[in-house]
Amino acid sequence: MNLSQPDIERLRELIAAPAQRMVILSHTNPDGDAVGSSIAWAEALRREGHDVVCIVPNKYPYYLDWMTGIGDVVIHRTEPDRAAAAVAEADVIFCLDFHSLSRLDQLSEVIAANTSAKRVLIDHHLNPTEPFDIMFSHPEASSTCFLVYKLLEALWGAECVTASQAEVLYVGMMTDTGNFSFSSLTPELYQSLAVLSATGINIPQIYNNVYNSFTEGRARLFGYAINRKMKMLRKGTVAYMSLTEEEMRRFWFQQGDSEGFVNYPLSIKKMRMSAIFIEHKDFIRVSLRSRGAVDVNLFASRYFEGGGHHNAAGGKSYVSMAETIARFEAAVEEFAREGLV
Ligand code: 5GP
Ligand code: MN
C-alpha cells in the first residue's frame, strides 16, 4: 500500500502545531474497525499533546465493551451536547472508517456547522464524497486499523506502537477481514501483525473477547434466522434473511446480536451473494455480502442508497419488509440479466 508522502508530510505538519483540540469521528453502528482505529489514533495524538475526543453517532456493540479506552468514546445519541461542544470547538476533525457524512446520521449536521476545522479522512471505503483537506482514502486496505497502523509507522516508526494501540488495532484488522479470511490479505498486513504481536498482546484472548462473548439469545436468534428465515433465489446461489423488530424482541435482541449473520450463507459452496434485512424503527437496514466478482457495492448503491466495499456493503430501505424483499428479489433478477450475479 502506498501512502502519499506529500500527504504524510502535510499530516505531520498539521499535528506539529501544539495543543490543538481534535475530534475523531466514526460511523453509525460503529464496529471493531471504527472503534479500534479511533482509539489507537487518539492515543497517538494525545501523546503529541493534543486534546482529543472520539465521537460515534450511536452505541457500539456490547462485545466491544472490554476494549481499553472505549469508555471515553462519546456517543452522540446519549450525550448530544457533549458531542456537539467538542465538534464546535475542534481545530481538526478526523473522519475514520467512513467515506460520506451521510453515514453519521444526525451527527452530520453538527459536523457541517463547524466550517473552520481542518478535515482529514482516513478510510478504506470506495468513492469518498466530501472534500477533505488531507485524504487517506485506500479502498485496497483491508481495514481502517491497518491504515492507521501504516500512518503510525510512517509518522513515528513501528517501534512507537504501544501494546494498548496494538490491541485495539488488532480488533479492527481481525473483524474487518472476518478473522483474516476475506480478500486484501497482503504480505504487508501480516508484517504489521507481526509488529502488533511483538508488543505482547494476547491474540487468543482478543479473539475470545470479540467472537465468544455473545448471549444465549443471540445464539438462538441465529439458529432461528438460518433455519426459519433463510430464503434462496437463483437455484440456491443467492440467499436472504429478514428479521422484524418483533422477532428480535422474542430473542432478547441487543444491538450487535445480528452482526455476522449475513456472512453465514456464504459458507454454502455455491453461494454468490447473501443479504439480510433488519427492521429498525424508521427503516430497514440492508447488509450485503458476496463472493468473487459479484459487486455488492454496486448493488447497494443502485438499489438501496448505500455502498461499502466490493464484497461487503450495506444500505437502507424506507418501505415495509414485504416491499423491501420484493424490491430485493426484482433487483437480483435485474442484476442477473446483466450477468452481474
Ligand atoms: P455491514 O453490513 O457490516 O453493516 O456493512 C458492510 C459495509 O457496507 C461496511 O463497510 C459499511 O461501511 C458499508 N455500509 C453499510 N451500510 C451502509 C450505508 O447505509 N451506506 C453506505 N454508503 N455504506 C454502508
Ligand atoms: Mn472498516
Side-chain angles (χ1 to χ4, degrees), residues 31 33 97 124-125 143-144 176:
D31 54 12
D33 193 31
D97 200 36
H124 70 136
H125 293 89
S143 63
T144 299
D176 259 35

Side-chain angles (χ1 to χ4, degrees), residues 203-272:
I203 288 173
Q205 192 182 350
I206 296 172
Y207 181 94
N208 267 310
N209 285 345
V210 173
Y211 290 116
N212 297 330
S213 298
F214 292 115
T215 59
E216 177 187 342
R218 195 262 188 186
R220 295 195 184 279
L221 177 64
F222 181 55
Y224 171 79
I226 294 294
N227 187 22
R228 305 278 298 279
K229 304 300 303 283
M230 186 169 65
K231 305 280 183 265
M232 298 293 184
L233 303 173
R234 302 203 59 77
K235 303 198 171 103
T237 59
V238 175
Y240 70 85
M241 289 177 268
S242 63
L243 289 173
T244 63
E245 285 192 304
E246 189 279 318
E247 287 169 315
M248 292 186 279
R249 261 198 305 276
R250 235 191 285 162
F251 295 92
W252 317 287
F253 187 86
Q254 297 179 56
Q255 198 204 321
D257 275 354
S258 58
E259 207 62 39
F261 286 14
V262 66
N263 295 314
Y264 200 78
L266 287 173
S267 66
I268 299 166
K269 193 168 185 182
K270 64 181 176 180
M271 195 60 64
R272 298 178 57 73

Side-chain angles (χ1 to χ4, degrees), residues 26-27 31-34 37 96-98 123-125 141-145 172 175-176 309:
S26 203
H27 59 80
D31 54 12
D33 193 31
S37 57
L96 268 61
D97 200 36
F98 67 96
D123 179 50
H124 70 136
H125 293 89
S142 54
S143 63
T144 299
C145 279
T175 53
D176 259 35
H309 312 283

